[in-house]
Amino acid sequence: MTKTPLKNLAIIMDGNGRWAAQRGLARTKGHEQGAEIIRDVTRYCAKHPEIETVTFYAFSTENWKRPKLEVDFLMRLLDRYLQKELATYQENNVKFLAIGDMKAFSSKLQERIRKTEEATRHNTDLTHILALNYGGRAEITHAVNSLIAVGKEEVTEADISAALQTPYSDIDLLIRTSGEERVSNFLLWQLSYAEFYFTQTLWPDFTVEELDDIVTDFQNRNRRFGGLS
Ligand code: IPE
Ligand code: IPE
Ligand code: MG
């Protein structure tokens, strides 16, 4: 049997806080450890012959509801992460892209994001996307408004797909860690026909070995898209 092709992977990295609580640590320690895992997963995806994009949910439009101290920590962590990971992107021929509404971030962080995108834009083995202040509904609403702004009176599915922030319109596989089984406003349009994989593993405990097993599981699935196999 031929393997089901995997081009676009999305990951809801969940469980950082619970990982820290299990160890009697502050939630911030869970976020720090979680950031380390992103690097391993990125390397795996860059080397994988089929995967073209991997999109990580890093901060949702709903995450502003968290205590200011945690939000501020996540912003600083992101800045540090991008500073440190530029080398990983370059060494692995990875293009970095951010999606979401970055206007809410400090000008320093916005500049760091812009510079990382600029420095990696010619890399071709993988596009690594971070969803930052991202919400699926906000993205679709923004896409429709941008079409209205250019004079469209009626839109097609193809118009909306093209106006989204993601370079793809379909996710093949969505993984969510930590045992929660919901979408939490991630990539609503793009998940239309995605395969889902939920694992109990907390994000800071996630490994490329588990990812490889999940990819194998996916490759053996039969995607029918409403037709017959
Ligand atoms: C995911 O881990 C990271 C972010 C949402 C930023 P959580 O912080 O949601 O961890 P739990 O769900 O509280 O364990
Ligand atoms: C989803 O995780 C958002 C990110 C991973 C960035 P949350 O922990 O914020 O989602 P809920 O609250 O469980 O839906
Ligand atoms: Mg969570």
Side-chain angles (χ1 to χ4, degrees), residues 208-227:
V208 292
E209 288 74 28
E210 181 169 7
L211 174 58
D212 196 48
D213 288 344
I214 295 171
V215 168
T216 302
D217 173 280
F218 169 86
Q219 287 172 329
N220 290 314
R221 292 191 190 186
N222 182 7
R223 303 182 79 189
R224 286 180 289 276
F225 298 100

Side-chain angles (χ1 to χ4, degrees), residues 48-77:
H48 195 282
E50 277 192 328
I51 300 174
E52 292 176 3
T53 75
V54 57
T55 306
F56 297 92
Y57 207 5
F59 194 86
S60 74
T61 47
E62 287 71 36
N63 287 146
W64 297 105
K65 291 176 192 161
R66 296 187 180 201
K68 186 174 184 304
L69 270 177
E70 181 168 346
V71 171
D72 289 348
F73 179 86
L74 285 169
M75 297 302 150
R76 284 199 307 276
L77 179 63

Side-chain angles (χ1 to χ4, degrees), residues 12-18 27 63 66 176-178 180 182 184:
I12 301 180
M13 312 181 280
D14 201 8
N16 293 351
R18 278 163 284 168
R27 292 178 56 83
N63 287 146
R66 296 187 180 201
R176 183 168 188 153
T177 58
S178 88
E180 308 297 350
R182 54 179 167 267
S184 300

Side-chain angles (χ1 to χ4, degrees), residues 20-189:
Q22 279 179 356
R23 287 162 178 74
L25 301 170
R27 292 178 56 83
T28 50
K29 291 289 169 201
H31 295 314
E32 268 175 359
Q33 186 56 32
E36 297 293 314
I37 311 303
I38 303 177
R39 181 187 313 127
D40 299 341
V41 171
T42 301
R43 285 212 188 99
Y44 172 95
C45 293
K47 288 198 178 67
H48 195 282
E50 277 192 328
I51 300 174
E52 292 176 3
T53 75
V54 57
T55 306
F56 297 92
Y57 207 5
F59 194 86
S60 74
T61 47
E62 287 71 36
N63 287 146
W64 297 105
K65 291 176 192 161
R66 296 187 180 201
K68 186 174 184 304
L69 270 177
E70 181 168 346
V71 171
D72 289 348
F73 179 86
L74 285 169
M75 297 302 150
R76 284 199 307 276
L77 179 63
L78 180 60
D79 193 60
R80 259 196 289 149
Y81 175 82
L82 289 177
Q83 194 176 356
K84 204 166 140 198
E85 290 318 302
L86 182 59
T88 309
Y89 296 141
Q90 304 297 38
E91 281 159 22
N92 294 277
N93 194 21
V94 172
K95 181 194 287 191
F96 168 79
L97 192 69
I99 59 169
D101 183 4
M102 257 64 70
K103 288 195 298 294
F105 298 157
S106 71
S107 48
K108 179 172 170 256
L109 183 52
Q110 289 185 49
E111 183 64 8
R112 169 87 59 207
I113 292 165
R114 202 196 54 73
K115 278 191 174 157
T116 310
E117 286 179 337
E118 173 63 27
T120 60
R121 73 191 167 97
H122 296 300
N123 294 344
T124 52
D125 276 348
L126 176 77
T127 301
H128 160 120
I129 303 164
L130 281 188
L132 304 168
N133 191 22
Y134 174 88
R137 288 188 175 183
E139 184 190 31
I140 295 167
T141 306
H142 184 267
V144 172
N145 278 324
S146 71
L147 294 167
I148 291 171
V150 296
K152 286 257 182 207
E153 285 178 0
E154 202 180 309
V155 299
T156 63
E157 290 188 10
D159 289 332
I160 295 179
S161 288
L164 296 172
Q165 285 186 295
T166 52
Y168 51 78
S169 53
D170 290 282
I171 284 293
D172 297 303
L173 171 64
L174 171 77
I175 300 170
R176 183 168 188 153
T177 58
S178 88
E180 308 297 350
E181 301 188 355
R182 54 179 167 267
V183 167
S184 300
N185 200 15
F186 193 36
L187 300 173
L188 297 180
W189 182 275

